[in-house]
Structure formats: C-alpha cells, structure tokens
C-alpha cells in the first residue's frame, strides 16, 4: 500500500493544511507564537557523521519494523545482516497497537544496550487514535520526578510510552549489568522516536550518571511544549539527535500554534539521489530552524519522505524488511 493512500497520513496532511491556515479553528484552541525560530545558518555535514552517529541507530530503527519471529532469532534478512551478527536480543515487546513493537538488544560491536521503538502502524486503528490525540498533559508523576511543573507532552505519546516503560526500565538495568555495558542508545522512527525520547528522560533519572545515554531518532513529530523541549536540551544535550528527511510534514506536527516545540539537535536531510544516498545533509542550530524542517512549505511537502530513504537507502516501515539476504 502506498504511503499516501493510508487514512492516517491523509488525515495528517489535512491537519497540516489546517494548522498552517489563518482560519484554523481559532476559537477552540489557544494558539501560542512566543517561541523564537532560529535563523542561524546551517552547517553541511559529511559522510563521517552519518557513519559515526546515524547509520547504526537507523539500522536498529529499521529492524524493529521486521517480524518478531525473525528479529528474535536475528534472522530478518538484509536489515539484520546490515547490522551484523554480534547482537544479542534481550527483549521484544509491544502489541502492534497502543504499545508499538519495541526491541531491547545488546550491540556487541559497541558494547551498548539498544532500545528501538517501531513507529505508527497505519493499518491499526488504535495506533491512529493515539496519534490524533493532540492535546498535551503533564509528565506522569508516578514515573517522572517532575523536574519542572510546566513540562507537558503529547497525551497519546505518553500513553504509548507508559505501556512499555516499566519493562524497559527493568530490562535495560538488567542488561547493563549482564553485559557490563556503560552506554544506552535510544532510537526509533515517527511515534517510536517520541517513545524513545521519553525512555531516555525516564532512565536519565534512574541510572547512575556514569552511564552514557544517547538518543538518535528519525521523523520525530513535535511531542511537547517549550518547557519539554528545554528539558530535553538540558538533560540529553548534544547526545540528542533528531533526523528530519527533506519535505516530511510529520515532523512539523502538531503545529507550533498548539504550543508544541522541538528540542535542539536537528540533522536535516536536504536531498537524496535516486539510489537513496543523501547528497546533502545539514546540522541545524536552535530548537526550530527556518532553514530546516520548520521552513518547509506546506504546498511542497511530501508525505512519502516520512518513510525515507534518509541516507544509504535506509527507509522505515514494513516494506524496509523485504531486503534480501546478501
């Protein structure tokens, strides 16, 4: 099925049009425009950054779209082979609905515990319903220490996160001890990117400061208010990277007028050739940069860019798992 034909993404596209219109339900929702958009110039980045920081997280984000029975045996064809054999699967969970599939694994190449979350399954109504719940709420006090009372996140994303948070907390701590690892990578695509970010904030509060936490996510929608964006910046800092792909409209949702803002750390794929290779990738200063995804024109956005390819012919979704073994 073509991405443009899915009901969820048609709704996303319509919602984006409304959100960028001057007549969009002005009396129903309080609009906010106080957050500054950065106009700082971008810096082009080379293949060394893709190789060292982005490639392996992207591969794990792709793998979690594959079938459970294949991933748990580490026999999912091309996506598993691309990562290599030195991976121990610790846990596979989720129900492909309110709790998207997730993978916890030990990456022997880097001695890192990897937590990867699948994005929205557009064929599952419960997942669609989660995404369409656009109002934000305070962080759950039973999980978070509430570092700032004004921090709020997308209600649907937090509900999806809560479905796996306790298991992920327990399994990650056990895996760090089992494999004598000192680092955790959180990754995911789309809604999975949002859940992975919440994971990182949760475990930052729970783990010893000697454990290195890094977040590399793809196609991340806006997931909280300005206080949330600031919390991610101060908590994860430069170890937070969110990759946006060309004219993907999903990364511009929910709109800023609904008091949603991105944290810093955007890497923007400007162009990709016919072979799926990124020909220009830039680092974007600030939380929202008009030269990157924030500057996209609604009339030139392409829903298909949400799945990719982002670089090195890496795309996301069930179709990405049809890669043949080498």
């Amino acid at each position: 099925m073509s991405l443009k034909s899915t009901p969820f993404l048609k709704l996303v596209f319509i919602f984006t049009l409304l959100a960028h219109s001057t007549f969009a339900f002005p009396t129903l929702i309080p609009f906010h425009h106080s957050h500054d958009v950065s106009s700082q110039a971008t810096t082009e980045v080379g293949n060394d950054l893709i190789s060292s920081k982005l490639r392996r997280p992207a591969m794990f984000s792709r793998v979690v779209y594959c079938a459970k029975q294949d991933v748990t045996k580490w026999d999912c064809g091309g996506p598993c082979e691309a990562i290599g054999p030195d991976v121990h699967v610790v846990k596979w969970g989720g129900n492909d609905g309110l709790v998207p599939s997730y993978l916890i694994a030990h990456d022997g190449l880097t001695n890192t515990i990897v937590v990867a979350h699948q994005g929205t399954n557009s064929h599952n109504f419960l997942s669609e319903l989660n995404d369409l719940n656009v109002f934000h709420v305070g962080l759950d006090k039973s999980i978070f220490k509430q570092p700032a009372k004004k921090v709020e996140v997308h209600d649907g994303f937090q509900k999806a996160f809560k479905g796996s948070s306790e298991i992920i907390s327990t399994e990650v701590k056990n895996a760090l001890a089992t494999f004598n690892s000192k680092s955790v990578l959180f990754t995911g695509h789309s809604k999975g990117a949002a859940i992975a970010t919440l994971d990182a904030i949760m475990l930052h509060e729970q783990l010893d400061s000697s454990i290195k936490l890094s977040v590399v996510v793809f196609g991340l929608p806006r997931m909280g208010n300005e206080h949330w964006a600031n919390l991610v910046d101060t908590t994860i800092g430069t170890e937070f990277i969110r990759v946006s792909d060309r004219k993907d409209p999903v990364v511009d949702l929910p709109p800023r007028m609904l008091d949603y803002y991105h944290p810093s750390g955007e890497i923007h794929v400007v162009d990709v050739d016919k072979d799926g290779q990124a020909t220009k990738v830039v680092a974007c200063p600030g939380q929202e940069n008009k030269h990157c995804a924030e500057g996209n024109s609604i009339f030139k956005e392409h829903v298909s860019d949400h799945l990719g390819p982002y670089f090195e012919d890496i795309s996301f979704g069930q179709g990405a798992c049809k890669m043949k073994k080498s």
Side-chain angles (χ1 to χ4, degrees):
M1 178 180 290
S2 133
L3 182 64
K4 290 185 179 180
S5 70
T6 62
F8 164 65
L9 286 170
K10 283 183 179 178
L11 285 170
V12 164
F13 188 70
I14 292 169
F15 184 76
T16 307
L17 283 172
L18 289 173
H20 284 74
S21 300
T22 57
F23 56 82
F25 25 89
T27 61
L28 299 180
I29 301 174
F31 296 159
H32 300 261
H33 297 281
S34 62
H35 191 84
D36 290 333
V37 174
S38 174
S39 60
Q40 296 180 66
T42 60
T43 303
E44 189 162 354
V45 298
N47 289 330
D48 55 339
L49 181 135
I50 293 175
S51 298
S52 63
K53 292 283 189 179
L54 308 183
R55 178 193 291 133
R56 206 155 180 83
M59 289 177 175
F60 276 102
S61 288
R62 177 174 62 185
V63 159
V64 80
Y65 275 102
C66 299
K68 172 184 177 180
Q69 64 270 21
D70 296 331
V71 176
T72 52
K73 294 184 295 185
W74 206 245
D75 188 25
C76 63
C80 286
E81 285 192 348
I83 295 175
D86 197 7
V87 173
H88 178 92
V89 175
V90 174
K91 177 74 176 180
W92 176 281
N95 58 23
D96 204 24
L98 285 175
V99 183
S101 297
Y102 62 87
L103 169 71
I104 304 173
H106 174 248
D107 182 359
L109 183 67
T110 59
N111 192 23
T112 297
I113 307 305
V114 178
V115 180
H117 289 271
Q118 187 186 111
T120 301
N121 180 348
S122 59
H123 299 286
N124 190 303
F125 177 74
L126 291 176
S127 288
E128 293 177 14
L129 185 64
N130 239 19
D131 284 307
L132 293 174
N133 187 353
V134 299
F135 298 102
H136 46 61
V137 296
L139 289 176
D140 190 310
K141 294 180 180 179
S142 68
I143 300 174
F144 298 97
K145 295 178 181 178
Q146 292 296 97
K149 292 182 179 179
K150 295 181 179 180
V151 173
E152 295 185 343
V153 295
H154 182 286
D155 187 29
F157 292 159
Q158 180 164 241
K159 285 177 179 174
F161 153 78
K162 287 167 64 177
S164 60
S165 60
E166 185 175 354
I167 295 173
I168 285 175
S169 173
T170 299
E171 294 289 351
V172 167
K173 292 171 185 175
N174 289 341
L176 285 166
T178 298
F179 296 98
N180 193 27
S181 175
K182 294 294 184 183
S183 61
V184 186
L185 165 68
F186 302 91
T187 190
H189 167 249
S190 194
K191 182 165 71 176
I195 300 171
T197 304
L198 284 161
D199 284 347
I201 298 298
M202 171 185 69
L203 281 164
H204 178 270
E205 294 181 346
Q206 298 178 4
L207 296 176
D208 188 83
S209 60
S210 63
I211 305 298
K212 177 184 176 182
L213 305 182
S214 58
V215 180
V216 182
V217 291
F218 304 86
L220 175 70
R222 293 190 181 103
M223 57 177 298
N225 63 4
E226 185 173 359
H227 299 285
W228 163 257
N230 292 338
L231 174 64
V232 175
D233 283 1
T234 56
T235 301
I236 311 299
T238 58
E239 291 299 325
F240 180 86
I241 297 175
R242 55 181 182 91
V243 184
S244 58
D245 187 24
R246 293 169 289 171
K247 304 299 181 182
D248 174 11
V250 175
V251 298
D252 289 326
L253 293 171
R256 288 192 300 112
M257 65 174 62
L258 299 187
D259 195 24
Y260 278 90
Y261 303 98
H262 273 304
S264 303
E266 182 181 10
I267 299 292
H268 184 59
V269 179
V270 178
D271 200 13
V272 178
D273 66 21
K274 61 181 179 60
D275 297 319
Q277 301 296 326
T279 57
K280 185 176 182 180
V281 180
V282 297
C284 312
Q287 293 180 331
E288 301 273 0
N289 192 305
K290 71 177 186 179
H291 301 299
C292 298
E294 159 64 22
N296 285 345
S297 165
I298 183 58
F299 300 106
K300 295 181 180 179
E301 289 177 328
H302 299 88
V303 177
S304 59
D305 288 349
H306 185 56
L307 293 185
Y310 283 62
F311 46 79
E312 299 192 10
D313 204 26
I314 296 177
S315 296
F316 304 104
Q318 275 71 24
C321 287
K322 296 179 180 178
M323 291 173 58
K324 296 180 179 179
K325 293 183 181 182
S326 59

